[in-house]
Amino acid sequence: MQLTVTQTPINEYQGDALILFVPSEGELPAATATINNELDDFINQLQQNDDIKGKVAQTLVIPQAKGPRLILIGLGQQPVKGKDFIKALNAAASALKTSAANTAAIDIRDIELDGFDTEWAYKQIGQAFQGALYHFDECKSKKDENPNTIESLTVIADNTAELDLKFGQALAKGMAYTKKLGDMPPNVATPSYLADEADKLATMSDNLATKILDEDKMEELGMGSFLSVSKGSIEPGKIICMEYLAGKAGDAPHVLVGKGITFDTGGISLKPGAGMDEMKYDMCGAASVLGTMLAIIELELPINFVGVIAAAENMPSGHASKPGDIVTAMNGTTIEILNTDAEGRLVLCDALTYAIETYEPASIVDIATLTGACMAALGRVNSGLFTEVDDLAQELIEASNTSRDTVWRLPLQEEYQELLDSNFADIANIGGPLAGATTAACFLSRFTEGQKWAHLDIAGTAWHSGGKAKGASGRPVPLLVNYLANKI
């Protein structure tokens, strides 16, 4: 989709459609009022007749015999809350995509936002309209020959809006890539597939290089915890390192570590069959790191950033780990495996150790679909945030508020650590039935001591379950891209 900025008035636009916003009360925004006046008070009459009441995201498409069709979008009350503005933009993008129009113009300069500036608003435009183009048909034998699309969007604004629109568009492309990787079937999206995708990204930027650790190298490095998971599958595990070095030479990189369990049966601690197909989404932490890297490349951000992916399958077999096994992690910690379905932390702990020893990061954040307990606590609204570093927590919370990809900070207190005590090893891989999200984070904290580290549990936010809604969400790419962009 092409994004164009112009200062030409909206009533002179010659394309297919005009996107106009209608509030639930008060005066029409300037662009809508201009068209309303030219059409002899037509939009006001539609409001008076209750054809459009201005409720948030309400949509009405009006064909025009002469000139562009009108796509009217309810805006709610002004000043408009950030979440309502995003809902309105998504409704506008969806209406444009499903209409017969391929081109449109939009002008939001006179819309009053509650707590957000126009720079933020233009980022949301780029994200919403580019994001509407996501469509997954990779595995269908009959593809839509003429899929609905958006060829171009003309934004009436000052030229300074171009960078913000580009930021939002790049973010949406990263989200779409994350969604595609998550939606791929697990017989395609294997650890080797993720490694190949990382190599493809490296061809897009001279600043990016990839390094892949195979199981022989992991054995040499003493990654017994990771290998205890991957050994149950015929698919070999991989640790994938993507080194994007576009910042100042010698500056320590910011590191993201993604959980990439490309399918999670639970291992010997087998999951129930119902809904197990959605366990292909257990690699969405890894997918979000790849999506974030794509967005960073698109934006050419001058930053030193390393993405590390711990990719493996968790399968039951004669080679799989058993409850009661004890394994040794890369840092020498011995781990009693009480439940083989708590495998994400087993691959992440070795990946974290490797990332810390190799890159000496300025900050390190892991992203994982780690616990059902976090989903039970926060639902599908917030991702769980765990860290003992207050300034890092604040940075991530600010990025989440800006991106509207929200998080909620959960406790990580010393008192929870004793729940991981083991009679036979240094640590157990689960902490019992209580505080499951926190004990999982406590486990990871044992491998990140002294680091500026945070853990994001995205079990509830990485995908949508069931029916037509089922699919990867692309979260937390908006949070991560904003977090990294704020480091510049």
Side-chain angles (χ1 to χ4, degrees):
M1 181 189 71
Q2 182 179 0
L3 280 171
T4 303
V5 175
T6 182
Q7 296 181 41
T8 302
I10 196 165
N11 58 329
E12 296 181 20
Y13 178 71
Q14 299 298 313
D16 297 336
L18 301 178
I19 296 169
L20 303 173
F21 294 96
V22 179
S24 58
E25 57 185 45
E27 295 183 358
L28 297 175
T32 308
T34 296
I35 301 302
N36 179 63
N37 291 337
E38 292 201 351
L39 296 176
D40 298 325
D41 212 34
F42 178 59
I43 297 174
N44 275 334
Q45 292 176 33
L46 290 172
Q47 274 192 293
Q48 292 168 9
N49 294 334
D50 289 339
D51 291 301
I52 184 165
K53 296 183 178 181
K55 293 181 179 179
V56 175
Q58 184 184 9
T59 303
L60 181 64
V61 179
I62 306 293
Q64 295 285 292
K66 295 181 180 180
R69 59 183 52 78
L70 306 181
I71 298 177
L72 303 180
I73 303 296
L75 195 60
Q77 294 183 348
Q78 295 195 76
V80 185
K81 295 180 180 178
K83 64 182 181 64
D84 290 340
F85 183 69
I86 291 171
K87 285 181 182 178
L89 287 179
N90 286 334
S94 178
L96 177 59
K97 181 184 175 183
T98 55
S99 73
N102 292 315
T103 64
I106 186 172
D107 184 351
I108 54 94
R109 289 176 296 177
D110 195 44
I111 293 175
E112 184 182 357
L113 298 172
D114 185 4
F116 296 94
D117 57 23
T118 54
E119 292 180 0
W120 177 86
Y122 290 130
K123 289 176 182 178
Q124 303 313 310
I125 289 174
Q127 182 177 337
F129 284 86
Q130 182 67 44
L133 299 180
Y134 178 72
H135 178 67
F136 186 89
D137 63 0
E138 264 73 11
C139 300
K140 293 187 176 181
S141 60
K142 295 182 179 179
K143 304 184 190 303
D144 189 347
E145 294 182 1
N146 297 298
N148 292 332
T149 188
I150 303 171
E151 292 178 2
S152 69
L153 180 70
T154 297
V155 181
I156 299 168
D158 295 333
N159 290 334
T160 55
E162 289 183 2
L163 290 178
D164 297 314
L165 290 164
K166 180 181 178 182
F167 185 96
Q169 189 173 30
L171 199 156
K173 288 180 180 179
M175 291 181 72
Y177 185 39
T178 296
K179 290 179 183 180
K180 176 185 173 183
L181 292 171
D183 289 339
M184 279 290 185
N187 59 320
V188 174
T190 63
S192 296
Y193 178 89
L194 295 184
D196 289 343
E197 290 298 306
D199 283 336
K200 290 177 184 177
L201 285 181
T203 66
M204 296 173 59
S205 172
D206 292 337
N207 294 314
L208 178 61
T210 58
K211 178 172 64 176
I212 313 296
L213 305 186
D214 60 18
E215 291 189 340
D216 289 339
K217 184 63 176 178
M218 286 186 257
E219 186 77 43
E220 180 184 325
L221 292 169
M223 294 184 175
S225 185
F226 183 108
L227 293 169
S228 72
V229 177
S230 66
K231 71 178 184 178
S233 174
I234 60 172
E235 291 287 346
K238 310 277 186 184
I239 288 184
I240 304 160
C241 302
M242 299 177 287
E243 302 168 356
Y244 177 88
L245 303 177
K248 185 178 178 181
D251 279 0
H254 297 280
V255 176
L256 301 181
V257 180
K259 174 188 171 185
I261 300 297
T262 56
F263 195 78
D264 182 18
T265 66
I268 297 301
S269 305
L270 193 68
K271 290 179 179 291
M276 194 192 285
D277 62 292
E278 293 187 9
M279 288 301 96
K280 70 178 185 176
Y281 294 116
D282 210 19
M283 45 68 73
C284 281
S288 72
V289 174
L290 285 157
T292 298
M293 184 62 76
L294 175 62
I296 297 301
I297 292 170
E298 287 272 335
L299 294 170
E300 299 180 327
L301 290 187
I303 190 173
N304 292 336
F305 160 48
V306 175
V308 176
I309 289 170
E313 278 189 344
N314 187 25
M315 299 289 285
S317 74
H319 298 289
S321 294
K322 307 171 292 296
D325 284 359
I326 294 177
V327 298
T328 303
M330 182 181 173
N331 73 347
T333 299
T334 59
I335 303 167
E336 183 182 13
I337 300 174
L338 297 180
N339 188 322
T340 64
D341 194 24
E343 85 299 327
R345 66 202 72 180
L346 295 176
V347 299
L348 282 173
C349 70
D350 278 344
L352 286 164
T353 298
Y354 179 80
I356 290 166
E357 292 188 2
T358 304
Y359 299 110
E360 299 180 348
S363 69
I364 184 165
V365 179
D366 72 75
I367 309 99
T369 50
L370 208 60
T371 66
C374 191
M375 189 189 305
L378 300 178
R380 298 194 178 277
V381 177
N382 292 301
S383 299
L385 167 62
F386 299 84
T387 182
E388 294 180 295
V389 185
D390 289 341
D391 63 341
L392 178 57
Q394 190 57 38
E395 289 170 5
L396 288 164
I397 290 169
E398 287 178 1
S400 80
N401 290 338
T402 299
S403 64
R404 305 307 303 161
D405 182 1
T406 55
V407 300
W408 195 266
R409 191 176 182 183
L410 292 169
L412 188 61
Q413 296 167 234
E414 182 66 29
E415 288 82 355
Y416 289 104
Q417 292 283 354
E418 64 186 36
L419 296 175
L420 295 172
D421 288 349
S422 165
N423 291 343
F424 309 109
D426 297 333
I427 187 174
N429 80 320
I430 59 170
L434 301 179
T438 288
T439 54
C442 285
F443 181 95
L444 296 176
S445 74
R446 302 285 186 104
F447 301 87
T448 56
E449 291 182 6
Q451 298 295 310
K452 189 175 181 180
W453 163 77
H455 161 60
L456 292 174
D457 192 329
I458 60 169
T461 57
W463 77 94
H464 307 289
S465 289
K468 293 182 179 180
K470 184 163 68 174
S473 70
R475 295 178 65 182
V477 170
L479 162 63
L480 297 174
V481 174
N482 276 274
Y483 165 71
L484 292 171
N486 289 341
K487 294 292 186 181
I488 298 171

